[in-house]
Structure formats: structure tokens, C-alpha cells
Amino acid sequence: MSDDDFIDLRSDTVTTPSEEMREAAATAEVGDDVYRDDPTVNELERRAADAVGTEAALYVPSGTMANQIAVHVHTEPGQELLLERESHIYRWELAGAAKLSGVQTRTIDAGDRCVPTPDAVREGLVDEDLHRPGTGLLSLENTHNYRGGIAVPVDRIAAAAEAARDADVPVHLDGARVFNAAVALGVDASEIVAPADSVTFCLSKGLGAPVGSILAGDEAFIEDARRVRKLFGGGMRQAGMIAAPGLHALGNVDRLAEDHASAERLAAGLDALDGVDAPAPDTNIVVAHTEDAGIPAESLYVACKDAGVGCVEFDDYATRFTTHLDVDEADVDEAVERIADVVDDLRD
Ligand SMILES: *Cc1c(COP(=O)(O)O)cnc(C)c1O
């Protein structure tokens, strides 16, 4: 199989930069961003802050770094970080909160739709006393990656955040795909972000930039975050070269609806296969459950790869397929056909 023929649905991070992005990188006006001399980075930070309705923003190499900087700025070593038990920060960031910021994590079970209730938040909050460290931060996630790109409604996020703020605990939103949530919910991203003190979003996922994420919040928070970015090794020099495609990526928000439509089409195609359960997604992430077909995710993943479809093992019997800028409807239909053959071969 030629590389061209491979339909890569592993993640929306696999997109390659468009001609416009390459051109923008080549011609970007640059300077030393550690001295804050890079006009392209400065413009990106301004436009990114506008896009989520915050005072300020900081350009960082990755979503993971944005989240870890937020944890570091909001907390003191020895405090607790309260977050959902399937959240990215808890599951997939190498225990960074413990290693980089010395905080202990406490998890909330927010159910399959990942809607943390105010009561669950209140139960999870810990007051500082002789025996207990106190909660330093509540972190929420929207869209929720592991739950299959769920777009958590604005009022639910706001209610959970309010429970924390009532206890003087700040709130971070891991909005790696916050624009997918905004498009799916039909609201402006700033509405989703408003209840939080800080937000992470990725330029390098559905928005299609080759690299980079944003951490946004008020000016005082971003000033602290800039120091922590340096501490974590994320201070960059002529970063306008990579920030310029990020500016183009901000123009890709509205078209995320196309990825959601392809994902719905993909889920419907997979769900129609015998023994496969693929619920209709809110956004661009489809999770296919293959327990009834007796197909472990590991086998499905390997066979799909051989058949020319990239996916990600999520759990024993759950496999993730993600749509993005570089796949169209025809690719999705072709992927469903290939996966159908694979499932037929593997079924008990
Ligand atoms: C991808 C992702 C991140 C991390 O972003 P990277 O740029 O891959 O480090 C954080 N949170 C969520 C919810 C994500 O999906």
C-alpha cells in the first residue's frame, strides 16, 4: 500500500501544513520571542486571546506544556489538583503534575457524558487543615478526549466551575479541542471559557497548524505563565516561523463542522457492522466498541493498519478514529469499507 493510500484517522494531529501555512512560515516577520521581539508571535497571542475572550495568551510548544504550566502557576507544591478520572492531564501527561509541580491528584467520576456535577466537585474539594493539604486547582476538559470528543454544555462547565470558585479554588479548562466544542454547541468559544481562570487550546489538532498550543488567561496569570514556560524549557526564539501557520489555523474554526459531519458518517458506517457499537459523536472523535464482535482493540488496530486505516487503541475493546482537515467524505467511505472487511475477517 502506498503512503498516499493510507487513511490516517489516528488523530487530528496528523494533518500536514497547507501551502498557505508553509508560505506564511517562510515569509513571517520574526524576532527573539524571549525578548518579546517577535511580531508574529505577539500577533498570534493577541488573536488567540481574542478568540477565547481572555485578556492575554501565551504561545507554547504543546498542549501538554500549556496544561502543566497552568497547574504550576495555579498551585503550591503539596496541594491537591482535582480533576476528572479520565482527563488528559491525569491519564496521559506522565504524572507531570506530581513531577513538575509536586501536587497530588484527586479524581472525580463524572460519568460517561463527562459532566462533573457541582456536588461531585464539592465532595472532591479538600480544605486545608492539620492533616489535609487543601485543593489548589480544579481542572475540567472540553471537548472530552477519552469520552469520545464529548462537547460538555456551557451551563454544566459553569456550574462545576462555580462550585470550585465558591471555595476560592481556581479553575483551569483543558480545551485542547475547545473550538470543536464551540462549533458543536453552536456557541462562541469565549462562552465555554468564561467560567475558567485559564484555558489551554491546541493549534496543532483540528485547526491544522504544524505545531503549537495556546495558554490563555488574565494578564497577571500569563505573566507568571511566561516565567514558568521558560522554567520548563519552552522559551523560544524566532518562533514566528511556527506561529505564522498558527495564525492561519485560527481561520479554520468554522470548518470544524465538516470534520464533525465526517465523524458522524464514519460512526454510522461502523455502527452498522455486526457486533460493532459506535455511538454518534458530538464532534470529530469516534470510539468503536468491538466486545460483542469478540475483537480486541489491539487486533483491530493491527489489522486496520495493514488494511490502510490508521486508528488508536483506547481500551481493551475500544478503538478511536478521528476525522480532520486531511480526510474528506470519500476517504471516510473508503475507510468504512476497509474496516468492514477487517471486522469480517476478525469476528469470532
Ligand atoms: C492532545 C491533548 C492534550 C495535549 O496536547 P499535545 O499538544 O499533544 O501535548 C491535552 N489535553 C487534551 C484533552 C488533548 O486532547
Side-chain angles (χ1 to χ4, degrees), residues 79-335:
Q79 284 189 315
E80 286 194 3
L81 163 63
L82 185 63
L83 73 188
E84 199 269 330
R85 75 177 165 85
E86 305 293 8
S87 59
H88 194 281
I89 293 180
Y90 185 60
R91 250 187 112 91
W92 282 316
E93 298 189 14
L94 292 154
K99 290 167 90 168
L100 301 172
S101 300
V103 295
Q104 165 163 288
T105 43
R106 179 182 295 269
T107 56
I108 303 172
D109 187 339
D112 286 350
R113 292 289 304 167
C114 189
V115 175
T117 63
D119 278 346
V121 171
R122 279 189 282 270
E123 272 167 36
L125 292 171
V126 165
D127 282 336
E128 186 184 337
D129 68 14
L130 179 61
H131 305 281
R132 313 217 322 158
T135 305
L137 180 65
L138 169 68
S139 178
L140 301 167
E141 186 171 314
N142 203 6
T143 64
H144 197 290
N145 182 342
Y146 190 73
R147 301 287 187 195
I150 281 177
V152 185
V154 177
D155 58 338
R156 301 303 185 93
I157 285 280
E162 197 181 320
R165 283 158 156 275
D166 283 349
D168 289 327
V169 170
V171 181
H172 175 67
L173 180 68
D174 179 358
R177 297 187 179 83
V178 74
F179 294 105
N180 292 86
V183 166
L185 296 168
V187 299
D188 197 87
S190 61
E191 280 187 57
I192 301 174
V193 171
D197 297 280
S198 57
V199 61
T200 291
F201 73 84
C202 294
L203 296 161
S204 56
K205 290 190 170 166
L207 302 182
V211 60
S213 288
I214 296 290
L215 177 62
D218 66 26
E219 266 162 21
F221 170 82
I222 292 300
E223 202 177 307
D224 290 345
R226 196 176 293 279
R227 283 173 58 84
V228 178
R229 182 184 68 175
K230 192 76 175 73
L231 172 69
F232 287 176
M236 296 178 285
R237 303 300 180 173
Q238 285 73 34
M241 300 290 290
I242 49 174
L247 278 163
H248 277 262
L250 288 174
N252 280 335
V253 169
D254 290 341
R255 67 148 304 284
L256 291 171
E258 294 169 35
D259 297 344
H260 299 177
S262 328
E264 204 174 321
R265 194 177 174 92
L266 178 65
L270 298 183
D271 197 61
L273 306 177
D274 221 12
V276 179
D277 178 25
D282 287 356
T283 58
N284 67 329
I285 296 176
V286 175
V287 181
H289 303 269
T290 48
E291 192 154 19
D292 290 350
I295 304 174
E298 195 182 348
S299 318
L300 184 66
Y301 158 77
V302 171
C304 278
K305 192 173 168 199
D306 289 344
V309 178
C311 53
V312 168
E313 276 178 67
F314 237 19
D315 221 330
D316 290 353
Y317 288 94
T319 305
R320 186 184 80 171
F321 299 86
T322 307
T323 58
H324 52 76
L325 200 57
D326 290 355
V327 290
D328 59 17
E329 226 168 60
D331 293 321
V332 163
D333 291 345
E334 174 62 27

